[in-house]
Amino acid sequence: SQQGEEDPQALSIQEGENATMNCSYKTSINNLQWYRQNSGRGLVHLILIRSNEREKHSGRLRVTLDTSKKSSSLLITASRAADTASYFCASKFSGTYKYIFGTGTRLKVLA
Amino acid sequence: EAGVAQSPRYKIIEKRQSVAFWCNPISGHATLYWYQQILGQGPKLLIQFQNNGVVDDSQLPKDRFSAERLKGVDSTLKIQPAKLEDSAVYLCASSLERGSTFENEQFFGPGTRLTVL
């Protein structure tokens, strides 16, 4: 399966701590996106990183991409209870038009 | 700006029955996606349209699933006949994408939760 694998599957942290989740994939990609899903707002796009980029920032989010290791990581700094959600990476593989979503990381931020 | 609209929000049917889902994308969005999300898993692409044309339907079980996008706007996804394993949330998404790079973010609707008994 081309589906990206994310780890950890679940993560529980205290408010104010940082949360890091990782995504690994099997074949070369054009770009990779991160999405958040919670019961209140459904699936929401967070950030896109292209294959020629190594790092991107958006507010409290930092995404890195290591194409040699075929992996990406999402760091959420100074987490809040509202960050409680499932986080998915979605990879667009070279030569295709579609995105393949990973298995997701369930993040719980305790107040 | 109005978001992606889907209906119904919930549907319960018996196996072997038929069901249809409707999606209205964000105005002006050329690309429309249907995903199936089984509990505890990530969304799985079923079909991707750009305007009226199908970009990818490689994971659509074509013996029972069908989808159309009339006039490049609204879309319907049908299952006939349904099986127990079709129980899932069906998500519709749209993006501005008009070219072939497919780098635009996808905007997702609230989904339809289907339960097959």
Side-chain angles (χ1 to χ4, degrees), chain B:
Chain B
E1 175 181 83
V4 176
Q6 289 188 249
S7 68
R9 292 295 308 275
Y10 305 92
K11 190 75 177 177
I12 300 174
I13 61 173
E14 300 279 336
K15 61 182 179 184
R16 291 188 290 273
Q17 284 187 324
S18 302
V19 65
F21 312 125
W22 173 81
C23 173
N24 182 233
I26 293 173
S27 177
H29 280 196
T31 302
L32 184 147
Y33 312 78
W34 282 103
Y35 290 89
Q36 179 193 61
Q37 186 174 24
I38 292 172
L39 187 65
Q41 299 182 18
K44 171 187 159 186
L45 181 71
L46 294 175
I47 188 165
Q48 179 175 334
F49 293 96
Q50 189 171 50
N51 298 310
N52 291 341
V54 175
V55 175
D56 190 290
D57 63 356
S58 57
Q59 298 189 100
L60 185 74
K62 298 181 184 66
D63 57 334
R64 298 185 300 108
F65 286 64
S66 64
E68 60 180 5
R69 189 179 185 198
L70 299 174
K71 299 179 182 177
V73 183
D74 291 9
S75 177
T76 55
L77 176 70
K78 296 178 182 177
I79 308 175
Q80 180 180 13
K83 293 184 176 182
L84 297 177
E85 59 260 37
D86 298 332
S87 292
V89 175
Y90 290 84
L91 296 164
C92 179
S94 69
S95 71
L96 265 175
E97 189 67 54
R98 287 188 172 82
S100 59
T101 57
F102 293 97
E103 288 190 345
N104 297 85
E105 69 177 279
Q106 297 178 37
F107 293 83
F108 283 81
T112 297
R113 185 177 299 277
L114 173 68
T115 301
V116 182
L117 302 175

Side-chain angles (χ1 to χ4, degrees), chain A residues 13 34 37 101 111:
Chain A
I13 60 174
W34 283 90
Q37 185 175 40
F101 279 77

Side-chain angles (χ1 to χ4, degrees), chain A residues 2-4 23-34 48-54 63-73 89-96 98-101, chain B residues 101-103:
Chain A
Q2 288 183 310
Q3 188 173 42
C23 168
S24 60
Y25 53 90
K26 296 179 181 176
T27 59
S28 62
I29 60 170
N30 289 130
N31 63 68
L32 185 146
Q33 301 189 33
W34 283 90
L48 177 149
I49 187 164
R50 295 182 175 83
S51 59
N52 61 355
E53 298 174 315
R54 291 297 165 258
V63 168
T64 60
L65 180 65
D66 187 334
T67 53
S68 66
K69 294 182 179 177
K70 293 187 172 58
S71 68
S72 175
S73 67
C89 63
S91 309
K92 180 172 173 291
F93 295 101
S94 301
T96 71
K98 65 185 179 186
Y99 283 86
I100 304 292
F101 279 77
Chain B
T101 57
F102 293 97
E103 288 190 345

